[in-house]
Amino acid sequence: MSETQARGRRGGGREARRAARLHEVAEKVPFITRTLRPVEILGEEGLATIEHNADTILETVGIDFREAPDAHKLLAEAGCNVDGERVHFPGGLARQLIQATAPRAFDQYSRSPATTVHIGGSATVLAPAYGSPFVRDLDGGRRYGTIEDFRNFVKLAYMTPFLHHSGGTVCEPVDLPVNKRHYDMVYAHMRYSDKPFMGSVTHPLRARDTVDMARILFGADALEERPYVLSLINANSPLVWDSTMLGAARAYAEANQAVIMTPFILAGAMSPATAAGAATQTLAEAMAGMAYVQLVRPGAPVVFGSFASSMSMQSGAPTFGTPEPALVLYALAACARRLGVPFRSGGSLTASKVADAQAAYESANTLQPTILGGVNFVLHAAGWLEGGLAMGYEKFVLDLDQCGQMHAFAKGMDLSENGQALEPIIENGPGQHFLGTAHTLANFETAFYRSNIADNNSFEQWELDGSLDANMRANAIWKRMLTEYEEPPVDEAKDEELREWIDRKKASFPDSNA
């Protein structure tokens, strides 16, 4: 055995022990319950200004609901002024429609009661990145995603205690036909994880397929009573909701399933370049979408979504981890609380192509405002690279470590008798270290968050362990996680029914890449 191999073997054993210790002390909770007060960057006057301006846009400019005659009819009957595809909301109407029936918070259920998540209030739910056509790892580099990659990320999200949700399109399985891949994607969430998941939105019929699959797994009556599926519905900013997204939203809302109505804004291109302008436009677009959902089915669970990024004014490329989107997040989180609906934003976003220092600081600069601002549902919490074009295996593991730290941070300061530690201070006295005290010995396992990625050893020990950088350590961790993965139990009869239903549906029409 060579010296390099020996070092790698010793390093691997060390990493395995470190990961084992982490799992021993990691608290497995279905979602984060924040004890910290949300950071508020605007006072009453500032928030009222944003809200007034959004109402002005809805009334004077309006929102296009394109190729959506059913939506036009519902909105006109509710009091909107409809002129062709342009819908104008009289002052305050959108807000009134939302506040009249939209729930302030709701539970999204799963096939395991232990993994049901609460969306709203002081709860924060973390979910993986979404929508990347490419995947990346140290071994294979950047390549198109496959259904095997998709299943891998579902399994990784299931195994970690630091993600609470299975997510949705964790990567695009481009090895499958476009018009049929949603069957395999939704089934992967249902079969390889017992955490809540997101449904297909790329066509209204695919949304209805998701609902039908959920009815098989959970039961039609159960689906009618409570949400088991969450979906991401994006506005076509500026000021447009298109027929595909509206049709998917309608399919879920009619079935009493939850939707996230999210304007997707690149500030400077799809909205004004200022934080206040981007926040105002986002609020207007989101309120128009949420009002429509409440008209489809009053009381259907809805989430106010925001995805706002800055851009390079030199190249036009999206930028992440910059101050201005954080300001938008803080302002809109407050607007959502005032509106009385849950809020989605944030994540671990970066424009970096690889999991390097840029990826680390941009992701941290996105995730920290997410927690401090009080976001309820966090998409893209792990894996995001290249502005969302790539899902990284190593980046996924690195982000999980940050998500774990946010779990610890969101608990706030422990002011119990043990947390105050007054008695140990009195007993120890001046000039004496605390390393061997009873209090330290009682708390040493849980006193501080313990990273399974960071190396805090001496240079000599790090070199002896193989001189591994964080990416190398993360590479070993995700491989080990997949090796140790065990499928959660499932009702075999329902699983068989699902697979037979999928086979019949796939056989009923030809493959297509449209």
Side-chain angles (χ1 to χ4, degrees):
M1 181 186 297
S2 69
E3 181 180 359
T4 301
Q5 288 174 324
R7 288 176 176 177
R9 178 164 295 183
R10 285 194 295 269
R14 186 184 188 87
E15 293 303 315
R17 292 191 297 274
R18 180 181 292 171
R21 287 197 304 270
L22 174 73
H23 287 293
E24 286 174 5
V25 301
E27 183 182 2
K28 295 183 179 180
V29 295
F31 50 87
I32 293 174
T33 300
R34 302 184 313 278
T35 63
L36 307 173
R37 293 181 181 178
V39 171
E40 300 277 3
I41 64 165
L42 295 175
E44 170 62 33
E45 183 179 355
L47 291 171
T49 297
I50 298 291
E51 292 168 344
H52 171 76
N53 291 348
D55 284 340
T56 299
I57 291 170
L58 289 172
E59 185 169 16
T60 62
V61 181
I63 304 284
D64 279 3
F65 284 72
R66 294 193 176 166
E67 300 179 18
D70 291 344
H72 299 155
K73 182 174 183 295
L74 279 176
L75 291 161
E77 291 173 350
C80 293
N81 300 314
V82 180
D83 181 12
E85 294 190 328
R86 184 71 51 84
V87 177
H88 298 264
F89 290 78
L93 178 60
R95 182 177 302 275
Q96 293 167 17
L97 292 172
I98 296 163
Q99 292 179 329
T101 56
R104 297 188 67 88
F106 62 92
D107 290 337
Q108 185 189 355
Y109 293 82
S110 61
R111 59 187 178 92
S112 170
T115 59
T116 293
V117 295
H118 186 68
I119 300 178
S122 61
T124 292
V125 175
L126 302 179
Y130 182 110
S132 302
F134 299 100
V135 298
R136 171 181 282 279
D137 62 61
L138 285 182
D139 305 296
R142 183 181 187 265
R143 53 190 169 76
Y144 280 109
T146 66
I147 190 60
E148 181 182 3
D149 292 308
F150 190 100
R151 292 167 182 153
N152 283 345
F153 282 114
V154 169
K155 294 173 182 178
L156 291 171
Y158 164 71
M159 291 192 71
T160 176
F162 299 137
L163 294 179
H164 318 105
H165 204 277
S166 192
T169 308
V170 290
C171 68
E172 281 286 351
V174 299
D175 54 336
L176 299 179
V178 169
N179 65 335
K180 295 182 180 179
R181 65 179 59 157
H182 65 287
Y183 296 117
D184 297 87
M185 294 158 70
V186 173
Y187 178 74
H189 284 298
M190 291 178 162
R191 184 65 187 87
Y192 301 114
S193 174
D194 63 2
K195 294 181 179 180
F197 63 91
M198 302 174 75
S200 178
V201 296
T202 53
H203 192 283
L205 292 178
R206 295 166 198 167
R208 296 189 187 281
D209 282 339
T210 302
V211 171
D212 288 340
M213 292 173 69
R215 286 180 175 136
I216 293 171
L217 183 62
F218 303 115
D221 291 342
L223 220 65
E224 180 65 21
E225 293 172 1
R226 51 195 185 182
Y228 285 86
V229 182
L230 181 65
S231 59
L232 176 65
I233 309 296
N234 286 129
N236 190 1
S237 302
L239 305 178
V240 173
W241 285 101
D242 65 40
S243 59
T244 297
M245 292 288 98
L246 291 172
R250 180 170 193 132
Y252 287 113
E254 286 178 339
N256 197 36
Q257 301 306 291
V259 294
I260 310 172
M261 304 303 283
T262 301
F264 188 99
I265 287 179
L266 178 60
M270 299 153 70
S271 81
T274 63
T280 297
Q281 183 182 310
T282 299
L283 178 58
E285 293 175 355
M287 285 201 299
M290 290 187 288
Y292 167 68
V293 168
Q294 291 309 300
L295 293 174
V296 170
R297 177 162 178 162
V302 67
V303 178
F304 175 179
S306 168
F307 186 98
S309 68
S310 51
M311 65 178 286
S312 167
M313 301 304 279
Q314 289 71 44
S315 69
T319 55
F320 300 94
T322 53
E324 295 79 16
L327 295 175
V328 174
L329 184 155
Y330 285 127
L332 290 178
C335 288
R337 287 189 288 272
R338 288 159 65 93
L339 187 60
V341 291
F343 183 60
R344 170 257 158 159
S345 192
S348 300
L349 311 182
T350 180
S352 181
K353 315 307 176 284
V354 296
D356 58 4
Q358 178 187 342
Y361 70 71
E362 288 181 349
S363 295
N365 286 350
T366 311
L367 188 59
Q368 289 176 2
T370 298
I371 300 300
L372 291 172
V375 175
N376 300 118
F377 186 80
V378 184
L379 204 54
H380 315 310
W384 174 287
L385 280 173
E386 202 180 330
L389 288 176
M391 185 74 161
Y393 278 86
E394 287 78 28
K395 177 64 159 48
F396 190 91
V397 172
L398 293 166
D399 287 338
L400 292 185
D401 186 41
Q402 291 296 298
C403 290
Q405 296 201 38
M406 293 302 103
H407 278 70
F409 178 67
K411 292 178 181 178
M413 183 174 289
D414 176 13
L415 289 178
S416 67
E417 183 176 341
N418 179 71
Q420 293 178 53
L422 180 58
E423 184 176 339
I425 295 172
I426 293 172
E427 290 179 351
N428 202 55
Q432 302 296 317
H433 66 70
F434 284 83
L435 292 176
T437 66
H439 185 268
T440 298
L441 293 174
N443 286 275
F444 83 97
E445 282 283 0
T446 58
F448 309 118
Y449 176 80
R450 302 173 71 180
S451 170
N452 71 328
I453 288 291
D455 187 299
N456 304 304
N457 295 307
S458 67
F459 173 81
E460 291 77 14
Q461 185 62 55
W462 171 77
E463 190 175 41
L464 186 64
D465 288 338
S467 305
L468 304 178
D469 65 18
N471 267 313
M472 296 173 182
R473 295 191 291 271
N475 179 270
I477 289 172
W478 71 256
K479 290 176 179 176
R480 183 168 58 251
M481 289 174 70
L482 290 179
T483 299
E484 295 173 353
Y485 168 82
E486 295 181 3
E487 293 182 2
V490 68
D491 185 311
E492 295 296 338
K494 289 183 178 180
D495 184 53
E496 183 178 358
E497 184 180 359
L498 260 175
R499 288 185 281 107
E500 290 177 351
W501 184 91
I502 290 170
D503 289 343
R504 289 196 304 272
K505 291 289 290 189
K506 284 183 176 180
S508 68
F509 57 97
D511 294 353
S512 169
N513 281 319

